[in-house]
Amino acid sequence: MNIAARNVAGRPIDYDAKGLVERAHKALRAADRILAVAKTGVAAKIAAVNGDVDAVQHSAHGLAWCATTVEGLRQMVSWAEGLNAQAKFNDFEQLILVAAFAEYLAQLAGGIAMNQGEVVRPEALGISKADIRAFEDTAEVQELIATGSSDAVKARLAQLIAEQPNATTFGNAGLDEIHGELVETMRKFALAEVIPFAHEWHLKNEYIPLEVIQKLADLGVFGLSLPEEFGGVGLGKESMCVVSEELSRGYIGVGSLGTRSEIAGELILANGTEEQKARYLPKIASGEMLPTAVFTEPNTGSDLASLKTRAVREGDVYKITGQKTWITHPVRADIMTVLVRTNPAEKGHRGLSMLLAEKPRGSDEKPFPAEGMTGGEIHVLGYRGMKEYDISFDNFPVPAANLLGGVEGQGFKQLMNTFEGARIQTAARAVGVAQCAMDLALKYAMERQQFGKAIYSFPRVANKVVMMAVEVMIARQLTYFSARQKDLGKRCDLEAGMAKLLGARVAWSNADNALQIHGGNGFALEYPISRVLCDARILNIFEGAAEIQAQVVARRLLEAGN
Amino acid sequence: MKILVPVKRVVDAYVKIRVKPDGSGLELANVKMSINPFDEIAIEEAVRLKEKGLATEVVVVSVGPAKSQEALRSAMAIGGDRGILVETAETDVIEPLAVAKILKAIADIEKPALVLMGKQAIDDDCNQTGQMLAALLGWPQGTFASKIAIDGGVIHVTREVDGGLETVKLKTPAIVTTDLRLNEPRYPTLPNIMKAKKKPLEIKTAADYGVNLAPRLKVLKTTEPPVRKAGIKVGSVAELVAKLKTDAGVL
C-alpha cells in the first residue's frame, strides 16, 4: 500500500521515501517555529512574575513538554534519514514516521498531555491563535496530520505489526550491526532466562535469583561501560542503552540491576582514587560485588542537596548516622555509595561527600548483619525483584580511605555528573517496559476471540497497539540520540531529561492501554500485564519525578536564551 | 585437532514465514535472519572440545550472500577462531551438493580432523549436506549426534535414531552432524561479541574452489500449509461412524 493514498485535497500524490523525509523536515521546521514562540511566551510569563518559575509551573513545564515533543520529531526525522541512506526506510518505517508526525504535530497545535489529567494548551505557552493557524496551515503539517491520522495508515500498520508478532523491534530501530547484535543477544537471554519467570518473582515478591545475576555478570552486563583495564567491556552509552532496554523488556528488575553497577562504576571511575578504582571496579564489573546507591532520605527526595545524614570523622574512620530510604537491593549489595554530610556548617550541597561503604550480604531474616546498620523492607506495587528498604545508620563505620576521591565536599558534584548517564539508562528502561506492554497487548489481542474474531481486528484495539509501536519508536530514538551524544562526549543533559520524561509517559500509557486490551483479565494478578502496569508506574517517579524532570528541562531551555 | 564448522544464515526461528504471492518462494525482504540453530549447536560443541583441550582450532565457514558474515561473526562470538565466507550472489540458489563440494575443497586445504555441522538447516530442511560431504571426502560419518566423545583418533558418536540411541565409533578425519539435544549453546558474552569483530574472516568465491553453483533441482512452486478448517458437531454415534466412513474415509 502506498502510504499517501491522497493528500488533503483528495488528489493522489506519490510520496517516495525521500519525498516523505523532505516533508517531515519542513513540518519539523514549522514545529521548531512553534517551539521558539513558546520559549518567548513562557519567558515572558516568568518575567511577569519576577522570575519566579514556580509561580508559573504549568507553563514552564509545558514548555519542557513542547520541546520534548519537537525533539522527538527531530529524532524521528534523523532516524528516517539514516535508514533512507541505507535503503532501509521501507513501508513499515515510513508509516511509523507519518503516524508519529500526525499525532505529535496535532498535539503541538491542540495540547500536549503532560499526563492524562494535565494537558498543556498553546495559550499556556503564550502561543497565539494566529501562530497556531499559521502552523496548521503549513502545507506539510496539514498533509502529514491528515494522512497520518487516517484509518488507512493505522490499519496498514496494524497489519504489518501482526505479520511479525515476535519481532525484536516493530520497524527497524536503525541500529548498526554491532548494537543490533547486542540487542539480539539480550533478547535471546531475556526470552529464555527472564520472561518465563519474571511474573512469579513479582507475585511472590522474590529476589531475582543469584544464578540469573551470575549469568548477567558472565555476559559482561555489569562491566559494560567500564574500561577493559578494570575488567569491563569498554562499550559506550548506546550499548548500555540497548542492553538496558532489552533486559527491561524482559523484566524491569533485571534491566535495573545494571543501573546500580552503572552508577557506582561511573562514580568511582570518574572520581575515585587509583586505589579505589583498582579495588572496586574489577569486582563491580565481574558482578562479584553488587553495589547499591544510598542517596535518598525520608525528607529529601528531589531536594537532595538538603540531606541530613551525617558522617563524622574519628581518626581513620567515618561514622555514619542518619536515615536513608528507598534503597534498592541493599540486602544483597556488597558496597554502598552513600551520600552524607561531612560538613554540618555547610547546609547546602557543598557539605556533602560520597563514601564507598562495604557491607556484608544479608537475608530476609537478617537483612543487615552489620554493626550500626538496621532497616526494614518497604512493600511496593511494582519494581520488585531487588526489594526496597529503609535504612538507619547509627555510627556505621567506613574507613576514611573510602571517601570517594579523597576530598570532602565533592559528593553532590560527583553524583550530578552521573545523572546524565543514569537518565539515559532510565529512559532506556522505560522504552523496554513500554515495548513489553506492547508485546503483551499484541499477543492478547491476537489470541482473544470475541464476537467470533480476534479482538485485534477491532480498530479501537489495534489502534492502541499501533500507537504503542509509534510512541515506543519516538521515545527510543530520543533515547538513542542522547546516548550517542554522550558517546561523542557532548553535553546531553537536556536530551537525556527529555528522553526520560517521554519514555516514562509512554511506558505508563502503553501499560495502561495494554491492560485495557486485556479487559477484566488484565485486572487479574495472574496476567503479566498487571505487573507491567505496576512496574511502569515507577518510571514517572524515580530518577527524577516527571515534574522535577520537566522543571530541569524547562530551566535548561530558558537559560539557553533562545 | 582442527575442527571445521559450516554454518548457514537462515530465517530466524521466531519469524513467521510467508510465501511470496506468486508462489516463487519465501518472502525474505527485511526478514530477521539468524545462524541456523543446529549449526549453533555444532559451533558450541566445537568450542567445548577446544576448551577441553581436545581441539586446537575452530574454523567456521559459510556459503551464502555477503550478509552471511553476520552468521560467521555470531559463530566467532561463541568461540570460533576464524571464518571463511564463500560469497554467492543474493539471488543464487545454493543446493546441498554445491555446498558439499565447496566444503570438500575447503577440507582438502584446511585438513580438519573433524567437520562438525548441523544435521539440517531449518529453512529447507534438506538434511543432506553432511552426508554428501562424507561421501565426497570418503570419510566416516556420524549423523544426528546427541553425544560426542573423543578418545585419541577415535570419535564415539551417540546417534538419535528411531527407537533409541546408537553409538558409532569413527576414525578421524570424520563428519559429525548435530542433533538438538547435543548441547545448549551459550549466550555470546559482550566482550566476545566485540572480539569476534576483529577475528580474521576470509572472503572467497565458489570459483576459487572450482565449484559450479548451478542448481540441479527446479522448484515448481511454494505454497503455504493449508489452513486448518473448523470441525463439525455430530448428533449421534451412528452419524459419527457414517461420517468417518463416507466423508473422512478412514473406516
Side-chain angles (χ1 to χ4, degrees), chain B residues 157-171:
Chain B
V157 177
T158 306
R159 307 179 61 226
E160 296 196 351
V161 293
D162 291 345
L165 299 175
E166 175 192 68
T167 303
V168 294
K169 200 164 88 176
L170 314 175
K171 274 204 186 115

Side-chain angles (χ1 to χ4, degrees), chain A residues 90 153 158 193 198 210 217 380 397 429 448 487:
Chain A
N90 297 315
V153 162
E193 312 279 345
L210 283 173
V380 286
R429 286 188 282 171
R448 172 76 172 172
D487 284 339

Side-chain angles (χ1 to χ4, degrees), chain A residues 253-313:
Chain A
V254 171
S256 303
L257 277 166
T259 316
R260 262 124 279 291
S261 303
E262 182 74 19
I263 295 176
E266 201 175 332
L267 269 175
I268 298 171
L269 182 68
N271 308 293
T273 62
E274 289 313 311
E275 294 74 36
Q276 288 166 351
K277 288 187 212 177
R279 179 171 169 83
Y280 294 115
L281 292 180
K283 287 182 177 169
I284 289 172
S286 69
E288 189 185 334
M289 273 194 155
L290 296 175
T292 187
V294 184
F295 308 143
T296 305
E297 296 182 359
N299 294 315
T300 50
S302 299
D303 180 19
L304 205 53
S306 69
L307 69 79
K308 302 268 188 299
T309 297
R310 279 280 282 128
V312 181
R313 181 150 182 178

Side-chain angles (χ1 to χ4, degrees), chain A residues 90 168 184 188 193 218-219, chain B residues 30 32 40 187 189-190:
Chain A
N90 297 315
T168 304
E184 293 303 341
K188 215 165 156 184
E193 312 279 345
D218 292 343
L219 286 178
Chain B
N30 303 307
K32 186 177 152 196
E40 211 177 357
Y187 305 102
T189 67
L190 302 179

Side-chain angles (χ1 to χ4, degrees), chain A residues 157-197:
Chain A
L157 271 172
Q159 192 187 353
L160 286 165
I161 289 167
E163 277 171 8
Q164 292 300 342
N166 299 316
T168 304
T169 55
F170 295 87
N172 188 326
L175 292 170
D176 63 15
E177 198 191 314
I178 187 84
H179 291 100
E181 204 170 322
L182 296 182
V183 169
E184 293 303 341
T185 305
M186 291 301 145
R187 177 100 189 111
K188 215 165 156 184
F189 178 82
L191 280 169
E193 312 279 345
V194 178
I195 291 173
F197 314 106

Side-chain angles (χ1 to χ4, degrees), chain B residues 130-152:
Chain B
Q131 294 87 331
M132 287 175 170
L133 177 61
L136 291 173
L137 285 167
W139 291 1
Q141 57 179 308
T143 51
F144 318 138
S146 64
K147 197 178 161 204
I148 297 174
I150 295 185
D151 181 9

